[in-house]
Structure formats: structure tokens, C-alpha cells
Amino acid sequence: MPALNIAVIGGDGIGPEVTAAALEVIEAAGVTVNPTIFDLGAARYLRDGEVLSESTLAELRTFDAILLGAIGPAIGDTRIPGGTLERGLLLKLRFDLDLYINHRPFHGQPGSIAEGCDFVVVRENTEGSYAGEGGVLRFGTEHEIATQGSVNTRFGVERCVRYAFELAKSRTRKHLTLVHKTNVLTYSGSLWQRTVDAVRLDYPEVSVDYNHVDAACIYLVEQPQRYDVVVTDNLFGDILTDLAGAVSGGVGFASSANLNPDRTSPSMFEPVHGAAHDIEGKGIANPTATISSATLMLRFLGEETAAERIDAAIAADSSEHAGVPRKTTEVTRSIIERLV
């Protein structure tokens, strides 16, 4: 296949370190990549006020995919107003590129609560509480009023639900669980439940279940093996996937794909973890989550064989070195040596 043109946003903290490791593994797997580095994130904002210009966004649209490391200032750094990077960069990329599926697979690492588990959380990625609907009156006074709505459209919900059903259909267990809070969020919850009920008629081979989100948090800790494919809204998916990462062995192993299944714009791939400024430059960041995110990218771009080889190498490496602290270069080299 021709070389892949990949936009790389290393970002902040350990982001540049782990994206460099992922690119090294991709090349070692025999996939030729033409990476273009984009200087975006907290450091860039503090330097010249740039978050994500329309010209940069237009340039990003020309790539096959985007590989992102991590974005955000160090904890306690108050120089960047809250939400500036989240809404101006990460959410802008998701919304403007219509990355409406957030696909997060979890493989229980040896010794973790979810050891041996294999499930995927499909999160709607462009609506819900993150759409920005809301406002404030009498700001800063004792009579302040703040509202924050959750935007759910039948179109947006259905395309997410159909993606989840297609994914469940392709897997061995063929099981899908809707997670919401239909007993309290009766409007949005009803839309999600009715959409699942309608779409399931097209997938008779897929069994369907429902959990309230609070119950799902308990089950992820006590019975994670019950899950195969979980479909949920933007906010619940954000929270559940952090918990799923924790019970599966830590967010250092948790990968993520922000997908445009229609391929009208490039999809973006990133680890679940943050910038971890406290270990920046120490060479001890675990690159596994970013390397796993890169395999999601390769699969999406048609490089299935290379993705399978890397996934097998990651699994072998994680099994042998479970719980053993290692340097970034050691993990990277171990995975490369296991490519067969």
C-alpha cells in the first residue's frame, strides 16, 4: 500500500514521547508513514495564543488520519482558562470533522480486575452534554443561574447505535448493552431506548441488554466479563471509559479512536490518558495505549495485517512484563522485537 500521510499532534507532557514510540512501532511493522508534526496544545497556546485556526483545521482535513498524544496544561497551571483547549481543540476536531463515534476497546491486563475480559465501549461523540447547549444569567452573583443541556438527535443517536450493532454483529459474543439513565433522564433516555429497540430489529443475531449508568459502574468493577459491546451517550461514555481503563489495568493501556465511519474527513486516534506532566522527560511513560491507538488507526486505514501483528506483540509484552515498571524505550523495543 502507498505511504500513509499522518498528521501527528504530540501535544503536551508525555504526548510527544508516546506518539514517537507509536510511529517507531508502525514503521517496524512494515508500514510506511509520512508524518507531519502539528504544534498544538497548551504549550502552543501559552506561546502565541493559538488553539486551532481554521487554516490549520483545513490542512488537517487533507491527511489520511490524525494521531494525537495528549493535550493539557500541568495540574495547578491556571494560565489557560478552563475549557479553552477542550472546547477549542479536542471538541472542535470532533465536531468539525464529524468524528461521531468514539470507539474504545478494553482488554483486561494480567492481574487486573478485568483480567481476560474483552469489550468495547461505543460512545456518541458529537452530541449530548458536550454539544455546548446552555447558558448563564446573573453570573458571579448570589442569584446566578446556570443551565447545561444535553442535545440528542434521532439522527445522531441512530448512527451511533447502528455502528454499535454492526460491531456487535462482527464479534464472537454478539451482545450489546445500552447504558443510560432512562428512569430519570426520561426524554433523552427514551430517545436512546426507542432507537435501540427499533434498530435491533435489523440485527436479530445480536442479543441486547440495558443497564442504568450507576449500575454499569458497579458491574464494571464486580462483573466486567458481562460486557461485549456497550453503547452510550457522550458524557456517560467519557466517565465509563475512564473507569473501564482503571479496572482493565490502567489508562496507560487504554486506546481510543474518534471515527468518521463515512470517511468524509480524517479520523483521529489517541490514548485515553492525559499529558502526565509530572513524568514528562523522564522516559518512563507507558507508550502502550498510544501504540494500541495506532493499531486502531492502521485497521481503519486498511492495514489489517500490520495491526494484528502489533496487537499480538503488545499482548505478549504485557503478559510477560505485567506490573513491572519500565522505560518508554524498553516497552517500545520489546514490542518491536516481538513483531512476527
Side-chain angles (χ1 to χ4, degrees):
M1 294 184 67
L4 302 178
N5 293 312
I6 306 300
V8 180
I9 304 174
D12 304 304
I14 63 172
E17 301 170 40
V18 294
T19 52
L23 291 172
E24 187 178 349
V25 172
I26 291 172
E27 291 281 358
V31 179
T32 303
V33 173
N34 293 327
T36 299
I37 307 299
F38 284 80
D39 180 16
L40 298 169
R44 172 67 184 276
Y45 177 82
L46 291 172
R47 189 169 65 252
D48 61 16
E50 169 76 11
V51 180
L52 177 63
S53 67
E54 291 302 319
S55 60
T56 299
L57 179 61
E59 186 177 358
L60 288 170
R61 288 182 183 276
T62 67
F63 287 84
D64 295 321
I66 302 167
L67 180 64
L68 187 145
I71 297 294
I75 295 175
D77 187 340
T78 59
R79 292 175 294 172
I80 303 178
T84 300
L85 298 175
E86 293 82 358
R87 299 211 69 87
L89 179 54
L90 295 177
L91 294 186
K92 184 174 178 61
L93 285 169
R94 293 175 185 174
F95 294 167
D96 285 23
L97 300 179
D98 202 21
L99 308 179
Y100 61 87
I101 294 295
N102 188 276
H103 176 121
R104 294 188 175 182
F106 295 93
H107 308 282
Q109 299 298 310
S112 71
I113 294 174
E115 181 174 356
C117 291
D118 174 14
F119 60 92
V120 181
V121 177
V122 176
R123 164 189 170 191
E124 199 291 316
N125 214 29
T126 59
E127 297 188 346
S129 302
Y130 292 4
E133 193 276 330
V136 62
L137 297 172
R138 306 187 186 99
F139 179 80
T141 74
E142 62 180 5
H143 301 294
E144 181 172 339
I145 302 170
T147 63
Q148 192 79 55
S150 178
V151 177
N152 300 264
T153 68
R154 175 59 188 250
F155 171 78
V157 172
E158 182 167 341
R159 64 181 183 173
C160 176
V161 167
R162 283 198 177 276
Y163 176 91
F165 268 103
E166 285 289 338
L167 178 62
K169 179 182 176 180
S170 71
R171 292 168 60 86
T172 302
R173 292 175 59 191
K174 303 185 189 308
H175 183 70
L176 182 140
T177 304
L178 168 63
V179 172
H180 211 280
K181 190 69 174 173
T182 56
N183 59 336
V184 175
L185 304 178
T186 53
Y187 301 120
S188 60
S190 173
L191 174 57
W192 276 85
Q193 184 65 71
R194 285 183 287 110
T195 303
V196 168
D197 291 343
V199 174
R200 71 185 296 179
L201 299 177
D202 297 332
Y203 298 89
E205 63 273 77
V206 176
S207 59
V208 179
D209 196 6
Y210 170 80
N211 291 159
H212 289 324
V213 66
D214 44 350
C217 290
I218 296 172
Y219 295 146
L220 275 173
V221 175
E222 296 184 346
Q223 303 173 28
Q225 66 277 2
R226 71 186 291 151
Y227 293 117
D228 182 24
V229 174
V230 173
V231 65
T232 190
D233 82 347
N234 210 335
L235 177 60
F236 293 151
D238 194 1
I239 297 168
L240 285 175
T241 51
D242 278 1
L243 177 58
V247 302
S248 298
V251 291
F253 294 96
S255 59
S256 177
N258 300 276
L259 301 177
N260 178 314
D262 306 323
R263 302 177 188 267
T264 57
S265 59
S267 293
M268 181 170 67
F269 303 82
E270 60 178 319
V272 173
H273 63 68
H277 287 269
D278 57 324
I279 60 172
E280 177 184 0
K282 296 182 179 180
I284 58 174
N286 184 353
T288 305
T290 310
I291 296 171
S292 293
S293 298
T295 67
L296 295 174
M297 178 179 73
L298 293 178
R299 268 198 185 85
F300 193 73
L301 296 178
E303 294 282 359
E304 179 68 32
T305 300
E308 289 182 357
R309 291 173 60 213
I310 296 172
D311 276 343
I314 290 172
D317 172 74
S318 299
S319 179
E320 180 175 339
H321 300 284
V324 179
R326 291 179 293 160
K327 294 183 178 298
T328 308
T329 53
E330 292 174 332
V331 177
T332 305
R333 182 52 48 190
S334 176
I335 292 173
I336 288 174
E337 290 174 351
R338 296 171 188 277
L339 292 173
V340 294

